[in-house]
Each structure stands twice: as structure tokens, then as C-alpha cells.
Amino acid sequence: YVLTQPPSVSVAPGQTARITCEGDNIGSKHVHWYQQKPGQAPVVVVYEDSDRPSGIPERFSGSNSWNSATLTISMVEAGDEADYYCQVWHSPEDPYVFGPGTKVTVL
Amino acid sequence: EGHLEESGGGLVRPGGSLTLSCVAYGFTFTSYSFNWVRQAPGKGLEWVASVSASFGHIYYAQSVRGRFTISRDDAGASVFLQMDALRVDDTGIYYCARDASTGTTGWFDPWGQGTLVSVSS
């Protein structure tokens, strides 16, 4: 199972960043999103399409339908600059699948 | 919420072996599945192996099947990754991560800080 993400997204501070994750019939799966800053371990920012762990700002939101899931970062801040990865659980033969990652640059 | 701490990384020659360890703190270890996820230098995340609660299910990525072995010690709240026949393309940071989902949605939280494995002659 293959997930596709744009390599990069650029956004000005205070604007909205949208990162897409595409896969065959991805709307039938639960999509999770991770933020990874340089030199740090990944951190989940959205799980099961649209839920946020405690401590993650409401500015981070997710949606999922048909062949595309989206992570939306509202009112982008300089500290949001990071790599973002989508991930799904697919099947016992190919359980945990990551997208290639999207580098978010805050202009 | 708890946290995970990995150890055991290092420099090894191609064809060599290494065992990674991950110790869990602050939550009920036996209730969860655990995973190893790696990241080659400058590259993305790649899931490597998974062991479910009570050893019910063990899965491996195709790239490591037959060479790596994942195991767990519930008494010691630990997860291990035995890596044999190491190749240069096994080089990277290896993260231990808990599957935090209650069903089969499969998401990772928390992650350890990672341990670096370098395979080079």
C-alpha cells in the first residue's frame, strides 16, 4: 500500500497550511499524522483522522475522505516548521505504512 | 503518559549483529503492542517490526524479514530487536514506539528518543 504526500509546502506566518496524503481508498482507513522537527523523534499531532492528543493545539486538525486525507495547520507559527508524515494501518501483511513526508517551511 | 528509552545502537560491520533494547516507563506495558521504526539519514520513516500484547502477533517489514527478530519481556517492560546479517542500508536511527490504538487503527505514541545504528566497513 502506497501513500503519497507533496514533498514540500510553504506558508507565511498566520496563514493556513494544508498537507495532503493520498492512497487507494484511504477514506476507508484511519489516518494518523506525525510532526518531526530536526534532531527529534516524531510526535503524533492527529490520530484516527481527526482526533488530537492532549497538548496538541487546536490549530492542528485533520480530515479524511475517499482518496485523500488532509492535515490542516491554522494560524501557522514559526515553530510549526517541521517534517510531517501521514500513516495508516493497512493489513497484517503490510501493517503500518508511512507516507514519504512533507517539509513545511514557514516563510 | 509514560515514555520509552532505547539503547544498544552502535557501529557494526556488514554481516554483523546488534541487539537493540527499549524500556518502557509509566504505563501498563502488558496492554500494548510495540514497534520498531527506523529512519535512514535524510530519509523518511520506515516501520520495521511489531510485537503485540502477549506475543499474539509478530510482523516484519519485507526488508528485514528473516534477518531481524523482535521480542518482548513483560516482566522487564522491555522490547528487543535482534538484528543479524546487517547491511549498509540498515543504517539509521531506530525508534521504539508504542501502538496507542485500542483497536486496529494502529498509531504510535509515545516514541523513544532513538538509537543510531551505523553499518559500515
Side-chain angles (χ1 to χ4, degrees), chain A residues 4-16:
Chain A
T4 304
Q5 297 179 239
S8 62
V9 167
S10 297
V11 59
Q15 299 303 303
T16 298

Side-chain angles (χ1 to χ4, degrees), chain A residues 30 32 34 36 40-44 47-48 54 85 87-89 92-93 95-96 98 100, chain B residues 35 37 39 43-47 50 59 65 95 99 101 104-109 111-112:
Chain A
H30 288 95
H32 323 296
Y34 302 89
Q36 186 180 34
Q40 298 183 18
V43 173
V44 62
Y47 65 95
E48 294 177 358
S54 60
Y85 296 89
Q87 177 254 317
V88 301
W89 193 95
E93 293 74 28
Y96 302 93
F98 285 97
Chain B
N35 299 264
V37 178
Q39 187 168 36
K43 303 297 185 182
L45 301 171
E46 179 191 15
W47 169 79
S50 173
Y59 304 114
R65 199 167 295 155
Y95 295 101
D99 184 327
S101 64
T104 56
T105 56
W107 54 281
F108 301 128
D109 181 61
W111 298 61

Side-chain angles (χ1 to χ4, degrees), chain A residues 53-72:
Chain A
S54 60
I56 300 300
E58 291 183 8
R59 301 185 297 104
F60 290 84
S61 62
S63 63
N64 185 18
S65 66
W66 191 229
N67 276 336
S68 182
T70 301
L71 174 70
T72 301

